[in-house]
Each structure stands twice: as structure tokens, then as C-alpha cells.
Amino acid sequence: MSTEKRSNFGSKIGAILAVAGSAVGLGNIWRFPYETGNNGGAAFILIYLFCVFILGIPILIAEFTIGRSSRTNTAGAYRVLAPGTQWKWLGRMGVLAGFLILSYYSVVAGWTLQYAVNAATNSFANNTPEGFKQMFATFSSNPWQPVIWLIIFLLATHFVIVRGVENGIEKASKVMMPALFIIILLLVGCSVSLPGAIGGIEFLLKPDFSKVTGSVLLSAMGQAFFSLSIGMGCMCTYASYFSKETNLTRTAFNVAIIDVIVAVLAGFIIFPAAFSVGIQPDAGPSLIFITLPNVFQQAFSGIPVLGYLFSVMFYVLLAVAALTSTISLHEVVTAYLHEEFKLTRKRAATLVTGSCIVLGTFCSLSLGVTKGFAVFGLGLFDLFDYVTAKIMLPLGGLFIAIFAGWYLDKKRVKDEITNQGTLQSTLFNVIIFILKYIAPICIAFIFINELGILK
Ligand code: TRP
């Protein structure tokens, strides 16, 4: 085994940035707004925040603990920590989830590249809200154009994965993330000052709990897990590259806070603008692609060159944010094939990239030519999204909480969380209590509630 040769993240800030790079991505800027729009706005956001802080952070810490104490890929981790048990299936389910997410996520990542090109070729200028809807519908249902971008995106991911952890992932995260954050802040300012933006602000801030159903709860929990990259061993795999000194609790809090801020700010870009130009908040996966071009065009109508510059920069940085997320998904599957099946890293990565191109192509086509073909009433793209975010990740989170809370030796968990007793452990008992009782009960309740058994 190649365990002794495994690389480390170079510095502490590098570890935090790489983990934040995994967490912050299309989940925040594309998926969060559209799920918020589909699920009625402010009340959804409050439940999502509850899920992030009460369930998400402890599960994130549990994944860090499992990853760093085993120092191997997510399936191998359960072999090391729970030899001879069925826990290995938890790791394997995570690898499968990562593979499915990577396939459809890359489709959306490909869209951001096309939109970067649209921005650069000035095709947002002089267009109308109706025109932007048409632009997206024509593009996303085209049989080959999105597929080419998907392939380009997966090849870019592949390239970083093959170059290794330290050189690739870390360097990419360090420069681009702060830049994206600044652009987002600017766009919030633009969006809230559009005429009629107040409707969108109210949508984000005035909760209407009468609209909260079982499926809103499940969507909020799924969104929290998806956005934090938890429930499938992604953070577990990253933590296996952490150094001994990394403070797991603090890293988890920092990352969750950054992740939530970016998502909520994305909401403050999208909804004020959507209400301003009359786009329905429940437009689904197309929401940000039909709303944002309006922001660039209208907010900068006095100084179009600024709108041009910001739009190009925004889509390029969004693509990079997506890249740091696809890298983390790809890494889970690649590390698994490399370490468990003794494939070379390069061959493992090639296998993953190739299969994702095939599956991703089917996902992309399901929005166009094969639209009529549905499984459980969902096209392949929507099916992958539903099965991973709303079933596999919460289920994974449930068992990760049980594994860390009940199965693992408490002293081992404590040593890991306190770095062998060198850090204070004021929160340790709270974390364990949540992992043991609160998280399993909440997740199970939301599942059972959605299945309708309680009615
Ligand atoms: N969290 C990322 C985002 O918000 C996507 C992602 C990366 C992910 N790794 C993951 C989602 C693992 C679920 C599980 O864009």
C-alpha cells in the first residue's frame, strides 16, 4: 500500500482553503438559490441554517475524525477503523454518491464555461429577460454543445487530480476563492439596488412557516449536506491529508460559516434581481442562468463596460469554484480505486474521468433530446440530483454520526478532536451528544416524515 507516501496539505491555511474550496461551489451559487426558490424562501433558509449548524458541523467533524485517524480513502477508512465489519458499505456508498454527483455536477459546471464565453463575446448586451430564458433553453437542450463543455470541464478536473494534491488543489484555491467572494459582494450591491428588488428581499427574509412540508424539510437538509460536501466521505478523504496540527473543530466552523455566507449572498444576488425582472423564483436549475445576465445588463446599463468585465470575471470564477468542488469529488473516487484496487493513480483517475463523461453526457441529454424518458417521474439529471442529495447524503450522514458517536472508541475520537489533548475540548461533549442522539433522530425523523409514514 502507498499509505506512507500519501501527501499532506502544505499549510494550515491550505487545508482550510482546500476544504472550503470543496464546500463552496455550484451548491452555493446555483443549487441553493433554486432550492430556496422551489421551497418557498425564508422558512427554507432557516431550516437549512439549523441543518448546517446543528447537524452539519458535528457530522463534518466526525468525517474529519474518521479521515485523519485512518489516513486513507473513505472506503478504506472503515476497513482500518472497523475491520471485518459491514461499515465498509458506508464508505462504498459514499464513493458511489461521489461518482453520481460528479457526473451531473459537471454538466452544470460546463454551463458556466459556456456562459463565460457568452459574457466574453458580449452576448448579454441588448437582450431581454425573455431572450435570456430562450438563450438558456436553446443551449441546455442542445445535444452536443453542453456535452463538449462537460468534457472540457472533466478533463480540467482530471488534470489537477493527476498532478497531485498539494500542487493542484491548494494553489487553485488560494487565489480564486477570495476573488470570487469580492465579486459576489459587488453583485449583491447591484442586485438589491435594481427597481422592484424589495420583493426578492422579502422573499429571503420573511418566513412563511405554513408552506413547510416534509419535502421542504428534506430539501433543506439535503441542501445543507450537499453544500458542506458531507455525507459521502469527501471531507473524510480530504482530512486524510490534514496534518497532525490541524484543528478539526475550528476548521469545521470556519468552513461552515464561509459556506453559509456565500450561499446566502448568492440568494441576495438572485432573488432581488429575479423579482425585479419578473422571473419566477421556482424556475429550477435554470434560475441563475436566466437571472444573472439581467443583473449584468441592467445594473450596469450606464457603464456597460463594467457589466461586461464583471460578467466575464463572475463566470470564470464560478467555474473555478466548481472546479475546486469537482476535484474533491473526483479525488474520493480516484483515491478509492487507487488504494483499494492498486491501480496507478493515473489509471484510476482516467477510469473515473472516462465513466463520468459517459454518465454526464446522458444527464445532459436528459434535458434535451431524451427529455421524455423518465425514471420515477424524473429525467436522469434530476434523478441523480434527487437520489444523491436527498437520499444518499442524508443516509450517509446518519450512519457517519452513528459510527463516530457509537461505534468508535470515545477516547480515540477525543484524541483526534483535541489533537492528542493539546487543544481545549469545551465542545467535545456537545459534539458527541449531537452525533449520538440529535443527528440520528433528526435525520431519521425527516426521512420518515417525507415517506409519509407519520401521516
Ligand atoms: N459542496 C459542493 C458545492 O456546494 C459540491 C460537492 C463537492 C459535494 N464535494 C461534495 C456535494 C461531496 C456532496 C458531497 O458545490
Side-chain angles (χ1 to χ4, degrees):
M1 278 278 300
S2 56
T3 339
E4 67 284 357
K5 282 199 312 236
R6 296 185 102 238
S7 29
N8 271 316
F9 286 120
S11 58
K12 272 184 236 167
I13 182 77
I16 294 179
L17 275 177
V19 170
S22 165
V24 174
L26 297 170
N28 308 61
I29 293 162
W30 162 73
R31 200 174 186 283
F32 175 80
Y34 100 66
E35 284 285 281
T36 303
N38 280 348
N39 290 290
F44 171 87
I45 298 181
L46 290 177
I47 302 165
Y48 154 82
L49 290 176
F50 171 86
C51 291
V52 168
F53 287 102
I54 306 301
L55 311 178
I57 291 179
I59 294 176
L60 187 50
I61 295 171
E63 281 203 31
F64 284 165
T65 302
I66 295 168
R68 193 176 60 175
S69 65
S70 65
R71 294 230 163 267
T72 182
N73 69 85
T74 177
Y78 297 97
R79 194 170 31 70
V80 173
L81 298 176
T85 65
Q86 298 304 318
W87 283 105
K88 56 179 181 273
W89 289 100
L90 179 52
R92 289 177 184 167
M93 178 177 80
V95 174
L96 178 64
F99 179 65
L100 297 178
I101 295 173
L102 182 58
S103 300
Y104 84 87
Y105 193 94
S106 303
V107 175
V108 185
W111 295 347
T112 65
L113 293 178
Q114 172 67 49
Y115 270 66
V117 172
N118 287 356
T121 54
N122 214 5
S123 33
F124 299 150
N126 306 321
N127 214 329
T128 58
E130 210 35 59
F132 290 131
K133 274 189 202 164
Q134 203 50 51
M135 178 193 268
F136 181 79
T138 314
F139 162 65
S140 64
S141 60
N142 183 300
W144 57 270
Q145 216 178 350
V147 173
I148 291 179
W149 287 119
L150 151 84
I151 294 173
I152 293 175
F153 200 89
L154 277 166
L155 290 179
T157 309
H158 181 85
F159 178 73
V160 181
I161 289 288
V162 170
R163 278 184 65 198
V165 179
E166 200 165 321
N167 280 329
I169 304 176
E170 244 187 278
K171 282 192 186 140
S173 314
K174 254 181 197 160
V175 202
M176 305 291 208
M177 301 274 302
L180 178 66
F181 193 74
I182 294 170
I183 292 247
I184 287 177
L185 282 179
L186 279 170
L187 290 179
V188 171
C190 296
S191 185
V192 296
S193 52
L194 289 173
I198 188 73
I201 298 174
E202 276 176 8
F203 184 76
L204 287 164
L205 295 180
K206 273 203 186 147
D208 175 1
F209 286 101
S210 68
K211 293 212 192 86
V212 175
T213 61
S215 90
V216 172
L217 291 179
L218 183 62
S219 301
M221 177 166 71
Q223 176 58 29
F225 285 27
F226 188 94
S227 193
L228 291 173
S229 306
I230 58 174
M232 51 140 305
C234 192
M235 291 310 197
C236 185
T237 302
Y238 264 24
S240 74
Y241 306 115
F242 281 1
S243 76
K244 284 200 301 290
E245 285 82 38
T246 307
N247 183 335
L248 301 185
T249 314
R250 194 188 302 148
T251 306
F253 270 94
N254 287 344
V255 168
I257 289 168
I258 295 172
D259 194 62
V260 160
I261 292 177
V262 174
V264 172
L265 288 179
F268 275 92
I269 301 176
I270 301 301
F271 291 106
F275 276 73
S276 167
V277 292
I279 287 170
Q280 290 300 320
D282 58 355
S286 65
L287 181 66
I288 77 156
F289 291 93
I290 58 181
T291 308
L292 273 173
N294 290 294
V295 181
F296 296 121
Q297 198 209 25
Q298 303 201 356
F300 299 98
S301 56
I303 10 174
V305 64
L306 268 190
Y308 175 81
L309 280 179
F310 282 150
S311 60
V312 178
M313 273 159 68
F314 177 81
Y315 286 110
V316 169
L317 292 172
L318 182 57
V320 175
L323 184 66
T324 55
S325 299
T326 53
I327 291 165
S328 72
L329 290 159
H330 200 300
E331 177 64 24
V332 172
V333 193
T334 301
Y336 170 70
L337 294 177
H338 170 53
E339 294 180 353
E340 299 298 300
F341 295 95
K342 318 258 184 301
L343 297 178
T344 63
R345 223 184 121 81
K346 202 163 178 190
R347 191 164 293 164
T350 308
L351 198 62
V352 178
T353 306
S355 338
C356 281
I357 289 178
V358 175
L359 268 187
T361 301
F362 284 120
C363 288
S364 180
L365 294 179
S366 78
L367 300 167
V369 278
T370 63
K371 205 169 198 159
F373 179 75
V375 188
F376 303 117
L378 297 172
L380 202 61
F381 180 95
D382 296 321
L383 182 73
F384 276 22
D385 182 74
Y386 190 95
V387 168
T388 52
K390 296 188 186 165
I391 300 176
M392 293 173 96
L393 297 183
L395 209 57
L398 171 69
F399 284 107
I400 288 168
I402 293 175
F403 184 76
W406 293 93
Y407 183 87
L408 278 186
D409 176 35
K410 206 166 161 194
K411 172 152 186 325
R412 177 166 202 157
V413 179
K414 188 161 189 171
D415 280 348
E416 208 55 61
I417 291 181
T418 61
N419 289 352
Q420 322 299 324
T422 58
L423 297 174
Q424 282 209 331
S425 59
T426 27
L427 281 178
F428 179 73
N429 289 326
V430 183
I431 295 168
I432 291 293
F433 183 76
I434 292 180
L435 290 174
K436 267 187 137 151
Y437 304 104
I438 311 279
I441 291 171
C442 283
I443 299 173
F445 168 80
I446 293 176
F447 262 134
I448 295 169
N449 185 37
E450 168 66 356
L451 290 175
I453 297 171
L454 292 185
K455 277 172 209 149

